[in-house]
Amino acid sequence: MDESPGKSLIALAVLLVGAGLIGWALGHVALCLLAALAIWLVFQGLEFRRFWRWARRPLSRPSNRSALWRAPTERLFRALGQSRIRSRNLLERLDRMRVINQALPDAAILINPAGQVTLYNEAAARLMELGPDNLGRNLVGHIRHPQLIALLEGKVPENLIEIPAPGPLDRRLEVRRIRIDRNDWLILARDVTQLNRLLTMRQDFVANVSHELRTPLTVIIGYLEALEDQTLDQDTVQQVVQKLYSPAHRMKALVDDLLLLTRLESSPVPMLSDLDPVNVPRLLRQLKTEAEQLSNGRHDIRIEADAELGLLGIDTELHSAFINLITNAIRYSPNGGQIWVRWYKTARGPCFEVQDEGVGIAPEHLTRITERFYRVDFGGARVRGGTGLGLAIVKHVLKRHDSALQVQSEPGAGSRFYTIFPAQRACSLSTAGHEDDLTDYHH
Ligand code: ADP
């Protein structure tokens, strides 16, 4: 519909020629020409009025009829439409940026050259306790920290500092200053409490492993030095060599546990559908033999297992977790103590539990005993032969089986370690032909 304005001029010319001819015929050329011009002007006036009305709200197509008006108004309409689309796109992008900015876990604060806060996101409100009152105010007035002042003044070489977060929680913030244009600065802050904790944990872990390996190694070196004595008789040499086994076994147990932990942490969790049922009652029977060897008749170990109850899981991992719990019950129970190992159905799912009448655990230690190398100090007799990794292994295995370790314990009265697996992991075992599996493993 983009007619050329030339057509309009041709129409005007035709109108004038026509009027001229009529005027010539009537003998009033000038009058007719004037009348034609007036008609044309009235028409253009109407067109202008149409344009004017349309221009007030240029959302629909312009309604001009004359090509002289139609072409430019159409072009204007199209340009307006495109600019509307562009602004809508820009607004959408701005909105997305705002949403992203608000969703960022890190605090972002815009600071003007006077050091005043001009904009901040949700995380800044949370991590740095900023509120609408802080807008237009100095950031250092809100967080008075010498390092932050130095950072904002540009006196920190890497533009990076670590300061305590405001508020009662013991959190640390890493704060960075970034120039965004000649006048404004962006202050980014992230919570590094967890990262610091992990770094400390890693350092502690290395220190602990070194310490745990150093102790048996020192013993081994001591015995080896003793063996260098040429005057030792054969029997003494034999005795010393025998003594080398214990620290060597201790080191091997530690390395085995470390490798197992690493494997548990790094290997992917198999899908439930890929797993075969584990015959837990049979596994417990096997564990009972191992436990009795360890206890050497010093404890009364009882196993009560639902013979038909199996579990979708990883056999070897469950073996490691269960033997660790049973070994602990033996290790932390006095001679003659009773230990119950139970495997039964509950409304929530299958439950495995180990109960002892041992030393128990004080409440302040309960939340920490699954940490690597965390041990309760039993008044000097700190180490009872474990690697300190047992419960960490249990925790990981159970996590890989969608469950968690629960502990009920009372110092002096004993402990109950248990876990309830999700009901969908339970499976029924065919007991036909396995008479012994049906029995309850009481003494
Ligand atoms: P460890 O090799 O020292 O036994 P674990 O990770 O298995 O390491 O256990 C961590 C700590 O938890 C133990 O050192 C012990 O203090 C405590 N603990 C674990 N099981 C028991 C239990 N059955 N009775 C009392 N204390 C226990």
Side-chain angles (χ1 to χ4, degrees), residues 391-413:
L391 291 183
I393 291 173
V394 174
K395 185 172 101 172
H396 271 88
V397 169
L398 296 184
K399 195 171 152 209
R400 285 165 63 81
H401 286 77
D402 306 320
S403 83
L405 184 64
Q406 311 287 331
V407 191
Q408 288 171 342
S409 190
E410 210 182 302

Side-chain angles (χ1 to χ4, degrees), residues 324-325 328-329 331-332 356 359-361 369-371 374-376 378 382 385-392 409 415 417:
N324 265 307
L325 290 175
N328 278 351
R331 195 176 288 146
Y332 303 105
D356 64 52
V359 293
I361 305 160
I369 51 171
T370 55
E371 285 175 24
Y374 188 85
R375 292 169 173 129
V376 179
F378 298 105
R382 192 173 156 267
T387 60
L389 296 173
L391 291 183
S409 190
S415 314
F417 286 77

Side-chain angles (χ1 to χ4, degrees), residues 139-140 143 145-153 161 163 175 187:
L139 184 62
V140 285
I143 306 174
H145 196 282
Q147 269 185 287
L148 185 67
I149 297 171
L151 179 82
L152 293 179
E153 287 175 353
I161 54 164
I163 54 168
V175 188
I187 300 295

Side-chain angles (χ1 to χ4, degrees), residues 318-340:
L318 291 172
H319 182 283
S320 301
F322 294 172
I323 196 68
N324 265 307
L325 290 175
I326 299 170
T327 307
N328 278 351
I330 295 171
R331 195 176 288 146
Y332 303 105
S333 290
N335 289 352
Q338 271 196 347
I339 293 164
W340 291 267

